[in-house]
Amino acid sequence: MTDIKHHLTDSLLMAYSAGTLPEAFNLAVAAHVSLCADCRATLEGFDAVGGALLDEAREPLADDSLAKTMALIGQGAPAVRQIRVDPVLPGPVADYVGGGIEAVRWRPAGIGVRQAILPTSSSATARLLHIKAGVAVPDHGHRGTELTLVLQGAFSDEDGHFKRGDIEVATEAVEHTPIADTGDDCICLAVTDAPLRFKSLIPRLAQPLFRI
Amino acid sequence: MSSDQGQTNWPLQMEKIRDARDEAAFAAVFAHFAPRVKAFLMRSGTDAAMAEECMQDVMATVWHKAHLFDPSRATLSTWIFTIARNRKTDMLRRDRRPEPEDLTWGPEAEAPQEDVIALQQETTKLGQALAMLPAKQRDLIEKAYFGDLSHSEIAAETGLPLGTIKSRIRMALDRLRHAMG
Ligand SMILES: [Zn+2]
Ligand SMILES: [Zn+2]
């Protein structure tokens, strides 16, 4: 929790605070912030900007506003969401899985790689990746933005070494070949807003099949 | 009690709502914040009837979640903004809004008064800095928060002095982690 080296960008944190990101990106931001006090502090700073904007303008209310609100309160509180505690999955990810790491329904996605797509709106895709220790994800570029948050194990690529809690923000400019460390299998949450561009032929053929 | 000059002790009002389900305290919070929440929703592109309904829902959540308000990490404006933003996402996009794991005080571990006051001061300074930004930057920030900019259009450089408020929040978070063991 203390030695996270790779963080979210300010523009992603600001967009999360403003509420303009696709659902899948919101999930990656919420998951990293669950593990990272630095980004949580930055995010709460951006929330304070939102609070300052909230303070600025007023609109007249309906006459029975307060009475109706008290009636709404009288109907009782909505059910509180159960917080799941899991050693691998941060709370928001466990919510989407519907359980801990053992509840993930993995599907094969190439040699040494398994994936599970999480149910978000279609504007961007969120999936869990399970990469066997020492295995490389095929060399690829990006058409949009890709966020990769490490939840277990570690991987390396042209941009550095990523451990639990680290998040890689890859844009169109980045081309990389992530390789899982030997030792522990690597589990990541990966979010993309456009299909990846693979260089070699075989992953390109497999792409429609695996939705990556 | 509900002066509009920001003199009201909002943390105290929230404590009364949390501990005593105090309807007078809630009426004061409502009188100040409900018109602001409604205006915020309308600036985000909601019509008046929808904004009114959604605002009532936001204010009911303020009552129900009073125990989650931590005045050493957020002012009441900030906290209500986050509730309104979440409700807006549900309503306009019908998306789920994943939230980070909550870090909350246990009932017996209140935030120290001086931290609460320091955060209020930092937030006031941030609000003043926002008001004094050059028109172009201010415009960018308003567009970002009212939904007119996509995330790739949001520049990293906003010109906002977030540094001091960030370190203040960071201190509150560190203390919280210690309290949780
Ligand atoms: Zn971070
Ligand atoms: Zn990539």
Side-chain angles (χ1 to χ4, degrees):
Chain A
M1 192 161 291
T2 47
D3 59 346
I4 294 176
K5 298 244 169 25
H6 302 273
H7 297 278
L8 288 160
T9 61
D10 273 7
S11 71
L12 278 165
L13 285 164
M14 185 176 174
Y16 178 81
S17 173
T20 55
L21 289 176
E23 187 181 350
F25 280 76
N26 278 341
L27 178 58
V29 172
H32 176 77
V33 166
S34 295
L35 302 172
C36 178
D38 276 328
C39 287
R40 192 188 284 261
T42 308
L43 171 63
E44 291 181 8
F46 281 122
D47 288 346
V49 176
L53 291 172
L54 178 78
D55 272 337
E56 281 177 348
R58 283 177 286 172
E59 191 65 38
L61 303 179
D63 291 338
D64 56 355
S65 254
L66 179 58
K68 275 192 163 165
T69 305
M70 292 312 296
L72 199 58
I73 288 169
Q75 291 170 17
V80 182
R81 114 191 131 92
Q82 249 358 54
I83 296 165
R84 299 173 199 274
V85 182
D86 185 82
V88 178
L89 304 181
V93 180
D95 264 359
Y96 275 78
V97 167
I101 188 69
E102 72 293 333
V104 178
R105 300 179 59 174
W106 298 107
R107 302 264 184 274
I111 298 159
V113 182
R114 290 183 290 161
Q115 69 165 350
I117 295 185
L118 301 178
T120 64
S121 65
S122 59
S123 48
T125 307
R127 61 192 185 280
L128 287 167
L129 286 176
H130 184 287
I131 307 158
K132 264 199 161 339
V135 164
V137 174
D139 181 15
H140 62 276
H142 310 91
R143 285 202 190 86
T145 303
E146 178 191 55
L147 305 181
T148 310
L149 172 68
V150 180
L151 300 175
Q152 178 192 293
F155 74 82
S156 293
D157 68 9
E158 291 78 347
D159 268 2
H161 188 236
F162 296 81
K163 294 182 295 197
R164 176 170 165 83
D166 283 326
I167 191 161
E168 179 169 38
V169 180
T171 56
E172 314 226 0
V174 174
E175 188 139 322
H176 63 166
T177 313
I179 302 173
D181 281 17
T182 52
D184 217 354
D185 290 352
C186 182
I187 295 175
C188 298
L189 172 68
V191 171
T192 46
D193 60 359
L196 309 177
R197 286 182 289 116
F198 283 102
K199 287 181 93 180
S200 62
L201 183 65
I202 293 180
R204 241 188 290 149
L205 289 176
Q207 212 168 347
L209 241 61
F210 300 124
R211 279 180 62 194
I212 60 176
Chain B
M1 182 159 64
S2 65
S3 89
D4 269 11
Q5 284 80 52
Q7 300 303 312
T8 310
N9 185 342
W10 296 121
L12 179 68
Q13 303 300 322
M14 289 304 290
E15 241 175 78
K16 288 180 181 173
I17 296 170
R18 183 193 66 190
D19 297 340
R21 309 270 89 179
D22 184 328
E23 293 191 14
F26 182 74
V29 169
F30 190 92
H32 184 86
F33 287 101
R36 288 171 166 81
V37 170
K38 188 172 175 180
F40 173 81
L41 293 167
M42 287 176 70
R43 287 173 86 187
S44 308
T46 316
D47 68 49
M50 181 79 111
E52 173 73 34
E53 194 189 320
C54 183
M55 172 279 291
Q56 291 173 13
D57 204 78
V58 169
M59 296 310 293
T61 304
V62 169
W63 172 283
H64 289 308
K65 293 197 170 171
H67 61 287
L68 295 176
F69 173 58
D70 175 354
S72 71
R73 273 168 58 204
T75 63
L76 191 52
S77 301
T78 301
W79 189 65
I80 292 180
F81 157 75
T82 64
I83 296 173
R85 170 209 55 207
N86 293 358
R87 191 69 191 84
K88 187 183 83 178
T89 309
D90 288 351
M91 186 187 61
L92 295 180
R93 305 201 319 204
R94 309 198 173 279
D95 272 12
R96 276 166 80 186
R97 161 96 189 174
E99 287 288 312
E101 282 170 28
D102 258 325
L103 305 173
T104 50
W105 291 97
E108 65 295 314
E110 293 286 332
Q113 253 328 290
E114 64 264 30
D115 286 8
V116 174
I117 292 162
L119 183 86
Q120 301 266 350
Q121 287 167 346
E122 296 300 348
T123 308
T124 305
K125 275 192 229 158
L126 181 66
Q128 287 163 349
L130 180 65
M132 282 170 6
L133 278 184
K136 229 177 130 183
Q137 270 165 325
R138 222 205 113 79
D139 194 46
L140 173 94
I141 287 166
E142 291 202 359
K143 278 188 174 148
Y145 279 83
F146 293 114
D148 294 331
L149 281 187
S150 73
H151 80 94
S152 50
E153 290 170 313
I154 296 176
E157 206 56 61
T158 60
L160 281 169
L162 275 187
T164 48
I165 195 165
K166 263 163 56 178
S167 41
R168 185 62 59 188
I169 295 165
R170 185 63 214 256
M171 277 161 60
L173 289 170
D174 287 347
R175 209 189 36 245
L176 212 52
R177 283 234 156 70
H178 274 286
M180 294 193 305

